[in-house]
Amino acid sequence: MTDAPARTFPLSERLDRLPFTRRHLRVLTGSGVGWALDAMDVGLISFVIAALAVQWQLQPGETAWIASIGFVGMAIGASLGGLLADRFGRRQVFAVTLLVYGVATGASALVGGLAALLILRFLVGLGLGAELPVASTYVSEFAPARIRGRLIVILEAFWAVGWTAAALIGFLVIPGSDDGWRWAFAFGALPAAYALIVRWGLPESARWLARRGRHAEADAVVRSFETAAGVTPPAVLDVQPDEPPPAALSSRERLTALWAREFRLRTACLWVVWFCVNFSYYGAFIWIPSILVSQGYDLVRSFGFTLIITLAQLPGYAVAAWLIEVWGRRLTLSVFLIGSAAAAVVFGTATGEAMVIGAGMALSFFNLGAWGALYAVTPEMYPTSLRGTGSGWAAGVGRIASIIAPLSVPVLLASGGAPLLFVVFAAFFAIAAGAAWGLVDRRGLALDDR
């Protein structure tokens, strides 16, 4: 009697069967720290705007452009970053984007006028816009299928850490002196140093390497994870001669494939969700400190309220991370979006400190839980050969909304005050909740490695 030959697992199955190990934790935290630093930069600008509006005697339109010009860069960066990640690799693009926006943020501490600040904020946006969809794509390609959604929500939860750090800097540093906003920007230069750690400390995506024909490198990466997990790697290199062809090869093919019959519904719905969530989130959270100041709260008190509201992001992420593997992607996303809509209406009509803080915390809880679910579902919509492109373009479309939102806020406030403004945000959340049902739910399923 002869022994049956040992089963040889394809690379994707080898990744999906692994337990969560320190190697996974390193990928998650390495990407997450970069994500937190990104959030710190975006969060800081809301506090800087409130300070510069007073110090530089800026008009509402000028302060709106400080916020919006960064999102112009983010829209371009997200679209290009996804294409570059599919062409040159996830890790390389991730490191370069951190370097670009870290240096530009540090340089912002030295500006003496609005024009120079706007140029640097555009460069910051280029790096930041490219980094976020690349990071979620990168982590999703290492995560075992049974916990993939949960890990991406945890990755997104690093955003709350960074935004909380921004709120602390805004509360403790910016009001301390006329140069407080400069010190805040100086803290934003930290990603430039961190980029070097990312570049040399994290592995390239094994799925991307395999799809590019670099099978030996892909096998070596997967073997390192198997060794860390105590799983015996296959005795020979597993190259599947009958592996499915890629969904796209060139940049043009990738962009065209997003609207092929197989992907057009999910692309359209994904773009609608990204657009609506960006409009409401950035319209609200960039302006909350300034809105509170306009309602009669002083700068320190306004920043203190914002810090408390920000802390509610963490439990929002925690609940979403649990529900996304219990309810699935679409239901979790839509429930958190409906919760965001309800909280926005209450916040817009809130009176008194307790109601302002309570409604703000509810908005923070539901909105950031929705963000976690959105980042989890986005990379799952597309196969490996166009995953970065699909994620990046969805984020890029969303950034168009984040350009429009800060510019719309002064107009809406002048027309109907905070109640009208937050009803509009609620309507966008509700539209996104409906569009979420056009997405594909891949809870517990392997990624498409075409």
Side-chain angles (χ1 to χ4, degrees), residues 401-450:
S402 62
I403 298 166
I404 298 170
L407 297 174
S408 304
V409 168
V411 177
L412 290 170
L413 284 174
S415 300
L420 172 63
L421 176 66
F422 281 88
V423 164
V424 171
F425 292 154
F428 274 83
F429 281 132
I431 293 170
W437 289 94
L439 305 178
V440 175
D441 198 320
R442 297 187 64 87
R443 177 182 56 158
L445 300 177
L447 289 175
D448 184 345
D449 278 324
R450 285 178 292 166

Short mmCIF file of all heavy atoms in Angstrom, two decimals, residues 401-450:
data_model
loop_
_atom_site.label_atom_id
_atom_site.label_comp_id
_atom_site.label_asym_id
_atom_site.label_seq_id
_atom_site.Cartn_x
_atom_site.Cartn_y
_atom_site.Cartn_z
N ALA A 401 -16.28 64.53 -3.39
CA ALA A 401 -17.28 64.99 -2.41
C ALA A 401 -16.62 65.74 -1.26
O ALA A 401 -17.18 66.72 -0.75
CB ALA A 401 -18.08 63.81 -1.89
N SER A 402 -15.44 65.27 -0.85
CA SER A 402 -14.77 65.94 0.26
C SER A 402 -14.21 67.30 -0.14
O SER A 402 -13.91 68.13 0.72
CB SER A 402 -13.66 65.05 0.84
OG SER A 402 -12.66 64.77 -0.13
N ILE A 403 -14.06 67.55 -1.45
CA ILE A 403 -13.71 68.89 -1.94
C ILE A 403 -14.93 69.79 -1.86
O ILE A 403 -14.87 70.93 -1.40
CB ILE A 403 -13.22 68.83 -3.40
CG1 ILE A 403 -11.95 67.98 -3.52
CG2 ILE A 403 -12.96 70.24 -3.95
CD1 ILE A 403 -11.62 67.59 -4.95
N ILE A 404 -16.06 69.25 -2.31
CA ILE A 404 -17.29 70.04 -2.39
C ILE A 404 -17.84 70.36 -1.01
O ILE A 404 -18.32 71.47 -0.75
CB ILE A 404 -18.35 69.28 -3.22
CG1 ILE A 404 -17.86 69.07 -4.64
CG2 ILE A 404 -19.69 70.03 -3.21
CD1 ILE A 404 -18.74 68.11 -5.45
N ALA A 405 -17.75 69.38 -0.08
CA ALA A 405 -18.41 69.52 1.22
C ALA A 405 -17.94 70.74 2.02
O ALA A 405 -18.78 71.55 2.45
CB ALA A 405 -18.24 68.24 2.03
N PRO A 406 -16.62 70.93 2.25
CA PRO A 406 -16.22 72.10 3.04
C PRO A 406 -16.60 73.42 2.40
O PRO A 406 -16.88 74.41 3.08
CB PRO A 406 -14.69 71.95 3.14
CG PRO A 406 -14.42 70.50 2.92
CD PRO A 406 -15.46 70.07 1.93
N LEU A 407 -16.64 73.45 1.03
CA LEU A 407 -17.05 74.67 0.35
C LEU A 407 -18.55 74.91 0.46
O LEU A 407 -19.02 76.05 0.39
CB LEU A 407 -16.65 74.59 -1.14
CG LEU A 407 -15.14 74.49 -1.42
CD1 LEU A 407 -14.91 74.26 -2.91
CD2 LEU A 407 -14.42 75.75 -0.96
N SER A 408 -19.32 73.83 0.62
CA SER A 408 -20.77 73.94 0.72
C SER A 408 -21.22 74.36 2.11
O SER A 408 -22.31 74.94 2.26
CB SER A 408 -21.42 72.60 0.37
OG SER A 408 -21.04 72.15 -0.91
N VAL A 409 -20.42 74.05 3.12
CA VAL A 409 -20.84 74.30 4.50
C VAL A 409 -21.16 75.77 4.75
O VAL A 409 -22.23 76.08 5.31
CB VAL A 409 -19.78 73.77 5.49
CG1 VAL A 409 -20.07 74.29 6.91
CG2 VAL A 409 -19.77 72.25 5.49
N PRO A 410 -20.29 76.74 4.37
CA PRO A 410 -20.64 78.14 4.63
C PRO A 410 -21.95 78.55 3.96
O PRO A 410 -22.75 79.31 4.53
CB PRO A 410 -19.45 78.92 4.06
CG PRO A 410 -18.31 77.96 4.09
CD PRO A 410 -18.93 76.62 3.79
N VAL A 411 -22.20 78.06 2.75
CA VAL A 411 -23.43 78.40 2.02
C VAL A 411 -24.65 77.84 2.74
O VAL A 411 -25.67 78.53 2.92
CB VAL A 411 -23.37 77.87 0.58
CG1 VAL A 411 -24.67 78.15 -0.15
CG2 VAL A 411 -22.18 78.48 -0.16
N LEU A 412 -24.57 76.57 3.16
CA LEU A 412 -25.70 75.93 3.84
C LEU A 412 -25.94 76.57 5.21
O LEU A 412 -27.10 76.75 5.63
CB LEU A 412 -25.43 74.44 4.00
CG LEU A 412 -25.46 73.63 2.69
CD1 LEU A 412 -24.94 72.22 2.91
CD2 LEU A 412 -26.89 73.59 2.13
N LEU A 413 -24.86 76.91 5.91
CA LEU A 413 -25.02 77.58 7.21
C LEU A 413 -25.70 78.93 7.06
O LEU A 413 -26.55 79.31 7.86
CB LEU A 413 -23.65 77.75 7.89
CG LEU A 413 -23.03 76.51 8.53
CD1 LEU A 413 -21.61 76.81 9.01
CD2 LEU A 413 -23.88 76.00 9.69
N ALA A 414 -25.32 79.66 6.00
CA ALA A 414 -25.94 80.97 5.77
C ALA A 414 -27.40 80.82 5.36
O ALA A 414 -28.23 81.70 5.67
CB ALA A 414 -25.16 81.71 4.68
N SER A 415 -27.76 79.73 4.71
CA SER A 415 -29.13 79.54 4.23
C SER A 415 -30.08 79.07 5.31
O SER A 415 -31.23 79.53 5.39
CB SER A 415 -29.14 78.53 3.07
OG SER A 415 -28.35 78.99 2.00
N GLY A 416 -29.62 78.13 6.15
CA GLY A 416 -30.55 77.58 7.14
C GLY A 416 -29.91 77.20 8.44
O GLY A 416 -30.55 76.53 9.27
N GLY A 417 -28.65 77.57 8.65
CA GLY A 417 -27.97 77.26 9.90
C GLY A 417 -27.64 75.79 10.03
O GLY A 417 -27.77 74.99 9.09
N ALA A 418 -27.23 75.40 11.24
CA ALA A 418 -26.83 74.02 11.50
C ALA A 418 -27.95 73.01 11.23
O ALA A 418 -27.67 71.91 10.74
CB ALA A 418 -26.32 73.89 12.93
N PRO A 419 -29.24 73.31 11.53
CA PRO A 419 -30.29 72.32 11.25
C PRO A 419 -30.33 71.92 9.77
O PRO A 419 -30.38 70.73 9.45
CB PRO A 419 -31.57 73.03 11.68
CG PRO A 419 -31.12 73.98 12.75
CD PRO A 419 -29.78 74.47 12.30
N LEU A 420 -30.32 72.89 8.85
CA LEU A 420 -30.34 72.56 7.42
C LEU A 420 -29.08 71.79 7.03
O LEU A 420 -29.15 70.80 6.29
CB LEU A 420 -30.44 73.84 6.59
CG LEU A 420 -30.29 73.65 5.07
CD1 LEU A 420 -31.42 72.78 4.53
CD2 LEU A 420 -30.26 75.01 4.36
N LEU A 421 -27.93 72.25 7.52
CA LEU A 421 -26.66 71.62 7.16
C LEU A 421 -26.66 70.14 7.50
O LEU A 421 -26.32 69.30 6.66
CB LEU A 421 -25.52 72.33 7.92
CG LEU A 421 -24.12 71.75 7.73
CD1 LEU A 421 -23.64 71.91 6.30
CD2 LEU A 421 -23.13 72.42 8.70
N PHE A 422 -27.10 69.79 8.70
CA PHE A 422 -27.02 68.40 9.12
C PHE A 422 -28.16 67.55 8.58
O PHE A 422 -28.03 66.32 8.49
CB PHE A 422 -26.91 68.32 10.65
CG PHE A 422 -25.51 68.62 11.13
CD1 PHE A 422 -25.10 69.91 11.40
CD2 PHE A 422 -24.59 67.60 11.28
CE1 PHE A 422 -23.81 70.19 11.81
CE2 PHE A 422 -23.29 67.85 11.69
CZ PHE A 422 -22.89 69.15 11.95
N VAL A 423 -29.26 68.16 8.17
CA VAL A 423 -30.29 67.42 7.44
C VAL A 423 -29.74 67.00 6.07
O VAL A 423 -29.99 65.88 5.59
CB VAL A 423 -31.58 68.25 7.29
CG1 VAL A 423 -32.49 67.66 6.22
CG2 VAL A 423 -32.32 68.31 8.62
N VAL A 424 -29.00 67.89 5.43
CA VAL A 424 -28.37 67.55 4.15
C VAL A 424 -27.38 66.38 4.34
O VAL A 424 -27.36 65.44 3.55
CB VAL A 424 -27.65 68.77 3.55
CG1 VAL A 424 -26.80 68.37 2.34
CG2 VAL A 424 -28.67 69.84 3.14
N PHE A 425 -26.58 66.45 5.41
CA PHE A 425 -25.65 65.35 5.68
C PHE A 425 -26.43 64.04 5.90
O PHE A 425 -26.02 62.98 5.42
CB PHE A 425 -24.81 65.66 6.91
CG PHE A 425 -23.83 66.79 6.72
CD1 PHE A 425 -23.40 67.54 7.81
CD2 PHE A 425 -23.33 67.10 5.47
CE1 PHE A 425 -22.49 68.58 7.65
CE2 PHE A 425 -22.42 68.14 5.30
CZ PHE A 425 -22.01 68.89 6.40
N ALA A 426 -27.54 64.11 6.62
CA ALA A 426 -28.35 62.93 6.88
C ALA A 426 -28.88 62.33 5.58
O ALA A 426 -28.93 61.10 5.41
CB ALA A 426 -29.51 63.27 7.81
N ALA A 427 -29.29 63.19 4.64
CA ALA A 427 -29.81 62.70 3.36
C ALA A 427 -28.73 61.94 2.59
O ALA A 427 -29.00 60.89 1.99
CB ALA A 427 -30.33 63.87 2.53
N PHE A 428 -27.51 62.44 2.62
CA PHE A 428 -26.41 61.75 1.94
C PHE A 428 -26.12 60.40 2.59
O PHE A 428 -25.85 59.41 1.90
CB PHE A 428 -25.16 62.63 1.93
CG PHE A 428 -25.11 63.60 0.79
CD1 PHE A 428 -25.76 64.82 0.86
CD2 PHE A 428 -24.41 63.30 -0.37
CE1 PHE A 428 -25.72 65.72 -0.20
CE2 PHE A 428 -24.36 64.18 -1.43
CZ PHE A 428 -25.02 65.40 -1.35
N PHE A 429 -26.17 60.34 3.92
CA PHE A 429 -25.99 59.05 4.61
C PHE A 429 -27.08 58.06 4.19
O PHE A 429 -26.80 56.87 3.98
CB PHE A 429 -26.04 59.25 6.12
CG PHE A 429 -24.77 59.79 6.72
CD1 PHE A 429 -24.81 60.86 7.63
CD2 PHE A 429 -23.54 59.23 6.43
CE1 PHE A 429 -23.65 61.35 8.21
CE2 PHE A 429 -22.37 59.72 7.01
CZ PHE A 429 -22.43 60.78 7.89
N ALA A 430 -28.31 58.53 4.07
CA ALA A 430 -29.42 57.64 3.71
C ALA A 430 -29.26 57.09 2.29
O ALA A 430 -29.53 55.91 2.02
CB ALA A 430 -30.75 58.38 3.85
N ILE A 431 -28.83 57.94 1.36
CA ILE A 431 -28.58 57.49 -0.01
C ILE A 431 -27.50 56.42 -0.03
O ILE A 431 -27.60 55.40 -0.72
CB ILE A 431 -28.18 58.69 -0.90
CG1 ILE A 431 -29.37 59.64 -1.05
CG2 ILE A 431 -27.70 58.21 -2.27
CD1 ILE A 431 -29.00 60.96 -1.69
N ALA A 432 -26.45 56.64 0.74
CA ALA A 432 -25.35 55.66 0.82
C ALA A 432 -25.84 54.33 1.37
O ALA A 432 -25.43 53.26 0.90
CB ALA A 432 -24.22 56.20 1.68
N ALA A 433 -26.74 54.38 2.37
CA ALA A 433 -27.27 53.14 2.95
C ALA A 433 -28.02 52.32 1.91
O ALA A 433 -27.93 51.08 1.89
CB ALA A 433 -28.19 53.48 4.12
N GLY A 434 -28.76 52.98 1.02
CA GLY A 434 -29.46 52.27 -0.04
C GLY A 434 -28.50 51.68 -1.06
O GLY A 434 -28.65 50.53 -1.50
N ALA A 435 -27.48 52.46 -1.44
CA ALA A 435 -26.52 52.00 -2.45
C ALA A 435 -25.69 50.81 -1.95
O ALA A 435 -25.21 50.01 -2.75
CB ALA A 435 -25.59 53.14 -2.86
N ALA A 436 -25.52 50.69 -0.64
CA ALA A 436 -24.72 49.60 -0.08
C ALA A 436 -25.26 48.23 -0.48
O ALA A 436 -24.50 47.25 -0.54
CB ALA A 436 -24.67 49.71 1.44
N TRP A 437 -26.55 48.14 -0.78
CA TRP A 437 -27.15 46.85 -1.12
C TRP A 437 -26.84 46.42 -2.54
O TRP A 437 -27.16 45.30 -2.94
CB TRP A 437 -28.65 46.88 -0.85
CG TRP A 437 -28.89 46.91 0.62
CD1 TRP A 437 -29.08 48.00 1.41
CD2 TRP A 437 -28.88 45.78 1.49
NE1 TRP A 437 -29.19 47.64 2.72
CE2 TRP A 437 -29.08 46.28 2.81
CE3 TRP A 437 -28.74 44.42 1.31
CZ2 TRP A 437 -29.13 45.45 3.92
CZ3 TRP A 437 -28.79 43.58 2.41
CH2 TRP A 437 -28.99 44.09 3.70
N GLY A 438 -26.18 47.26 -3.32
CA GLY A 438 -25.72 46.86 -4.64
C GLY A 438 -24.33 46.27 -4.64
O GLY A 438 -23.81 45.87 -5.69
N LEU A 439 -23.70 46.19 -3.46
CA LEU A 439 -22.35 45.64 -3.34
C LEU A 439 -22.42 44.12 -3.17
O LEU A 439 -23.44 43.57 -2.78
CB LEU A 439 -21.62 46.28 -2.16
CG LEU A 439 -21.54 47.81 -2.17
CD1 LEU A 439 -20.82 48.31 -0.93
CD2 LEU A 439 -20.85 48.31 -3.43
N VAL A 440 -21.31 43.46 -3.43
CA VAL A 440 -21.21 42.01 -3.26
C VAL A 440 -20.69 41.74 -1.85
O VAL A 440 -19.72 42.36 -1.41
CB VAL A 440 -20.26 41.39 -4.30
CG1 VAL A 440 -20.06 39.91 -4.04
CG2 VAL A 440 -20.83 41.61 -5.71
N ASP A 441 -21.33 40.82 -1.14
CA ASP A 441 -20.91 40.48 0.22
C ASP A 441 -20.07 39.21 0.18
O ASP A 441 -20.57 38.13 -0.11
CB ASP A 441 -22.14 40.28 1.11
CG ASP A 441 -21.81 40.35 2.59
OD1 ASP A 441 -20.75 39.81 2.98
OD2 ASP A 441 -22.60 40.94 3.34
N ARG A 442 -18.78 39.33 0.47
CA ARG A 442 -17.86 38.19 0.40
C ARG A 442 -17.41 37.74 1.79
O ARG A 442 -16.29 37.29 1.98
CB ARG A 442 -16.64 38.53 -0.46
CG ARG A 442 -16.99 38.83 -1.92
CD ARG A 442 -15.73 38.99 -2.77
NE ARG A 442 -14.96 37.75 -2.84
CZ ARG A 442 -15.18 36.80 -3.75
NH1 ARG A 442 -16.15 36.94 -4.64
NH2 ARG A 442 -14.44 35.71 -3.77
N ARG A 443 -18.29 37.86 2.75
CA ARG A 443 -17.96 37.42 4.11
C ARG A 443 -17.53 35.95 4.10
O ARG A 443 -18.26 35.07 3.63
CB ARG A 443 -19.16 37.60 5.03
CG ARG A 443 -18.92 37.10 6.44
CD ARG A 443 -20.14 37.25 7.32
NE ARG A 443 -21.31 36.59 6.77
CZ ARG A 443 -22.37 36.20 7.51
NH1 ARG A 443 -22.40 36.43 8.79
NH2 ARG A 443 -23.39 35.62 6.93
N GLY A 444 -16.34 35.67 4.62
CA GLY A 444 -15.84 34.31 4.75
C GLY A 444 -15.37 33.67 3.45
O GLY A 444 -14.90 32.53 3.48
N LEU A 445 -15.46 34.39 2.33
CA LEU A 445 -15.06 33.83 1.03
C LEU A 445 -13.64 34.28 0.68
O LEU A 445 -13.19 35.35 1.10
CB LEU A 445 -16.03 34.27 -0.07
CG LEU A 445 -17.49 33.86 0.10
CD1 LEU A 445 -18.33 34.43 -1.03
CD2 LEU A 445 -17.62 32.34 0.17
N ALA A 446 -12.95 33.47 -0.10
CA ALA A 446 -11.60 33.82 -0.53
C ALA A 446 -11.63 35.01 -1.47
O ALA A 446 -12.63 35.26 -2.18
CB ALA A 446 -10.95 32.63 -1.23
N LEU A 447 -10.55 35.78 -1.49
CA LEU A 447 -10.42 36.87 -2.44
C LEU A 447 -10.31 36.31 -3.86
O LEU A 447 -9.83 35.19 -4.07
CB LEU A 447 -9.19 37.72 -2.13
CG LEU A 447 -9.24 38.59 -0.88
CD1 LEU A 447 -7.88 39.26 -0.67
CD2 LEU A 447 -10.33 39.65 -0.99
N ASP A 448 -10.76 37.09 -4.81
CA ASP A 448 -10.64 36.73 -6.23
C ASP A 448 -9.21 37.04 -6.68
O ASP A 448 -8.79 38.19 -6.68
CB ASP A 448 -11.65 37.58 -7.03
CG ASP A 448 -11.69 37.24 -8.51
OD1 ASP A 448 -10.76 36.55 -8.99
OD2 ASP A 448 -12.63 37.66 -9.20
N ASP A 449 -8.44 36.02 -7.04
CA ASP A 449 -7.03 36.20 -7.37
C ASP A 449 -6.74 36.28 -8.86
O ASP A 449 -5.61 36.11 -9.29
CB ASP A 449 -6.19 35.06 -6.75
CG ASP A 449 -5.88 35.31 -5.29
OD1 ASP A 449 -5.66 36.49 -4.94
OD2 ASP A 449 -5.85 34.35 -4.51
N ARG A 450 -7.77 36.57 -9.65
CA ARG A 450 -7.51 36.75 -11.08
C ARG A 450 -6.58 37.96 -11.32
O ARG A 450 -6.63 38.93 -10.59
CB ARG A 450 -8.82 36.96 -11.83
CG ARG A 450 -9.65 35.70 -12.01
CD ARG A 450 -10.94 36.00 -12.70
NE ARG A 450 -11.81 36.80 -11.85
CZ ARG A 450 -12.89 37.45 -12.29
NH1 ARG A 450 -13.20 37.41 -13.58
NH2 ARG A 450 -13.65 38.15 -11.46
#
